[in-house]
Amino acid sequence: MSIRFTAKARRGMVALAIAAGLAVGVAGCGGGGDDKKPEASASASKSGGSGASTQEGTDEPIAELKGEDGLVLLIASAQRDSGGFLTVSGEMKNDGDKAARVSVRTAGDETEIIRHGSSLGGATLVDSKSKKRYYVLRDTDGRPLTTTGMPRIEAGGSIPVFMQFPAPPTNTSDVTFQLPTFASATIQISG
């Protein structure tokens, strides 16, 4: 599902979401909360030396995160936007041998996000260089700016997904992507 906004509405939502994120406290990014995550390895894509970025003109993901029930999150890009936010996009694939649903735990544990149904609202980006954690942006009604209402994914099937975050500083090129029930991975920001 894709939602389109006018440029003015997008700027307003981004400003509100950034303010809300700062109010929640980006400073609370210390380790601690050892979520139960699968012990699957996250593998960043193979980069072939000094060639073009894997995000430019190829279908190869920049990261692959293994989750529960055969689900795999393939991150295709982490694109910085001039509006001050970062969009992570890719696909949720079912590598299992039977249909699977994305766990409700991927929405995270914030009451405001949970009340809007299933989503990828629990996703975070960790900028270890700046020692900050970035949470998924929300619209003015508190809905996370992510894929929502994900259907059951048939064996071998996939669905497109996206998540929007406040953009880290321009000198930050790598962040750690985390999503409850999935392994973590370092991804490279483009743009």
Side-chain angles (χ1 to χ4, degrees):
M1 171 185 266
S2 177
I3 300 174
R4 302 270 186 223
F5 298 99
T6 66
K8 185 176 180 179
R10 180 181 283 175
R11 283 192 302 272
M13 287 185 342
V14 169
L16 179 63
I18 290 171
L22 292 173
V24 168
V26 176
C29 67
D34 187 19
D35 296 338
K36 287 191 175 188
K37 294 184 180 171
E39 295 197 19
S41 64
S43 62
S45 68
K46 304 166 198 106
S47 63
S50 61
S53 164
T54 56
Q55 297 177 29
E56 297 172 9
T58 72
D59 289 335
E60 185 157 339
I62 61 172
E64 180 177 308
L65 292 79
K66 297 189 185 294
E68 300 174 332
D69 301 325
L71 292 176
V72 178
L73 175 60
L74 302 170
I75 298 177
S77 68
Q79 184 70 42
R80 194 183 303 269
D81 187 294
S82 61
F85 57 93
L86 179 96
T87 301
V88 175
S89 59
E91 68 178 340
M92 186 72 68
K93 185 177 177 186
N94 182 355
D95 278 349
D97 55 359
K98 60 183 179 179
R101 288 202 180 274
V102 177
S103 172
V104 295
R105 294 182 293 165
T106 60
D109 58 5
E110 292 183 46
T111 306
E112 185 67 23
I113 289 179
I114 293 172
R115 77 182 186 98
H116 291 290
S118 67
S119 73
L120 303 176
T124 59
L125 298 176
V126 177
D127 177 0
S128 57
K129 183 177 176 182
S130 299
K131 295 183 170 67
K132 291 186 179 180
R133 180 181 305 252
Y134 297 90
Y135 295 89
V136 167
L137 293 170
R138 301 175 197 178
D139 68 12
T140 54
D141 292 325
R143 287 186 289 268
L145 297 181
T146 72
T147 303
T148 58
M150 290 163 287
R152 187 172 81 155
I153 304 171
E154 297 299 325
S158 66
I159 59 170
V161 296
F162 81 97
M163 293 141 278
Q164 289 187 324
F165 300 90
T170 54
N171 64 347
T172 298
S173 60
D174 295 324
V175 290
T176 302
F177 176 86
Q178 299 174 334
L179 180 66
T181 76
F182 285 81
S184 299
T186 300
I187 59 174
Q188 187 172 28
I189 298 172
S190 64

